[in-house]
């Protein structure tokens, strides 16, 4: 009797993960992220309730995808560097949640094409895909120029683009602040983190420069809350 309730709960969790792993993991991530940070989300309603869409966000740290994925009302597919995707101990999780690996063209000339095909397949199945168009972690905390990946995706699949601005993770051990990410000891707990989503842009109006400007504006608004302004 003493172990009956915990065993039943564990069985229910395992059954739920087996039946629908991505929604269950998203809820678990949402809970964990809330434990680690003081979060403020705005504009989550801008992510379409159904149908394909791209979520485009600035890239600050290695936990960005967890924050954005946890905030989204729908499970997200997301692009990530292949070396991280294939990391020992976490590959099974990234594969389970549907991450899309991508490597540099210099290391594998066909990698970008294969990644774009997976993104296109996900969008045509009505999923939401998250993209960090800077292509790397910011080296100074500011939004870096967007690369051409967004335009390549929209050229294949004309879907709405939801811009997002993330603030508060610069300075964490998972960012490049004060040295290479993950090379420092964690020093902050329950820091303020803000994620603001903007209204969807139709594909014909979602040029690289316009989306970048919108992400910068949303990040500036999120920065104000993080700074207590």
């Amino acid at each position: 009797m003493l172990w009956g309730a915990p065993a039943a709960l564990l069985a229910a969790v395992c059954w739920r993960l087996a039946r629908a792993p991505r929604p269950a993991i998203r809820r678990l991530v949402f809970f964990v992220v809330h434990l680690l940070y003081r979060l403020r989300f705005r504009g989550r309603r801008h992510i379409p309730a159904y149908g394909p869409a791209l979520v485009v966000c600035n890239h600050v740290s290695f936990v960005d995808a967890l924050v954005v994925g946890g905030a989204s009302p729908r499970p997200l597919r997301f692009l990530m560097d292949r070396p991280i995707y294939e990391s020992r101990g976490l590959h099974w999780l990234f594969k389970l949640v549907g991450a899309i690996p991508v490597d540099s063209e210099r290391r594998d000339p066909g990698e970008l094409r294969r990644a774009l095909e997976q993104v296109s397949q996900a969008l045509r199945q009505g999923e939401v895909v998250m993209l960090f168009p800077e292509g790397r972690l910011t080296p100074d905390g500011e939004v870096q120029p967007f690369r051409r990946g967004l335009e390549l995706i929209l050229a294949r699949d004309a879907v709405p683009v939801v811009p997002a601005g993330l603030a508060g993770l610069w300075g964490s051990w998972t960012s490049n602040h004060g040295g290479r990410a993950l090379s420092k000891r964690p020093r902050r707990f329950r820091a303020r983190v803000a994620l603001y989503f903007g209204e969807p842009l139709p594909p014909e109006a979602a040029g690289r420069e316009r989306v970048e400007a919108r992400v910068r504006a949303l990040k500036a608004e999120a920065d104000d809350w993080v700074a207590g302004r």
Side-chain angles (χ1 to χ4, degrees), residues 47-210:
I47 296 178
Y50 56 89
L54 280 174
V55 174
V56 174
C57 187
N58 58 306
H59 204 5
V60 186
S61 78
F62 279 124
V63 299
D64 295 352
L66 301 182
V67 176
V68 181
S72 171
R74 294 173 60 188
L76 299 178
R77 301 286 299 276
F78 57 93
L79 287 146
M80 67 184 306
D81 289 336
R82 180 170 287 280
I84 300 175
Y85 176 82
E86 294 179 346
S87 60
R88 185 178 301 176
L90 290 176
H91 174 70
W92 67 272
L93 176 61
F94 296 140
K95 186 175 181 180
L96 183 66
V97 299
I100 300 172
V102 61
D103 209 340
S104 69
E105 285 287 282
R106 288 176 296 179
R107 282 185 284 192
D108 186 344
E111 179 74 5
L112 179 60
R113 176 182 55 79
R114 288 192 292 270
L116 289 174
E117 288 174 353
Q118 289 189 63
V119 170
S120 183
Q121 182 181 14
L123 293 173
R124 292 174 187 180
Q125 291 175 347
E127 297 187 87
V128 179
V129 176
M130 181 182 63
L131 175 69
F132 297 116
E134 297 160 277
R136 58 172 181 152
L137 295 183
T138 176
D140 57 11
E142 300 302 321
V143 179
Q144 305 301 299
F146 282 11
R147 298 182 180 179
R148 64 191 181 110
L150 174 63
E151 294 171 341
L152 292 175
I153 292 172
L154 292 178
R156 298 164 67 105
D157 298 278
V159 301
V161 176
V162 180
L166 178 63
L169 287 168
W170 177 249
S172 72
W173 70 291
T174 58
S175 73
N176 284 329
H177 181 271
R180 187 176 178 182
L182 305 181
S183 66
K184 309 169 291 290
R185 295 179 62 183
R187 296 184 181 275
R188 301 193 309 168
F189 182 67
R190 299 290 292 164
R192 284 187 170 210
V193 173
L195 176 63
Y196 288 5
F197 295 96
E199 293 184 4
L201 296 170
E204 63 274 11
R208 191 192 323 183
E209 293 182 357
R210 183 174 183 184

Side-chain angles (χ1 to χ4, degrees), residues 17-78:
L17 282 171
R19 293 265 305 183
R22 289 176 57 197
I25 290 174
R26 185 190 67 81
R27 294 187 182 95
L28 178 60
V29 167
F30 189 75
F31 173 74
V32 172
V33 169
H34 265 285
L35 289 179
L36 297 176
Y37 304 105
R38 287 179 291 165
L39 297 171
R40 178 183 177 90
F41 298 136
R42 192 183 76 182
R44 286 187 288 178
R45 68 185 185 282
H46 293 315
I47 296 178
Y50 56 89
L54 280 174
V55 174
V56 174
C57 187
N58 58 306
H59 204 5
V60 186
S61 78
F62 279 124
V63 299
D64 295 352
L66 301 182
V67 176
V68 181
S72 171
R74 294 173 60 188
L76 299 178
R77 301 286 299 276
F78 57 93

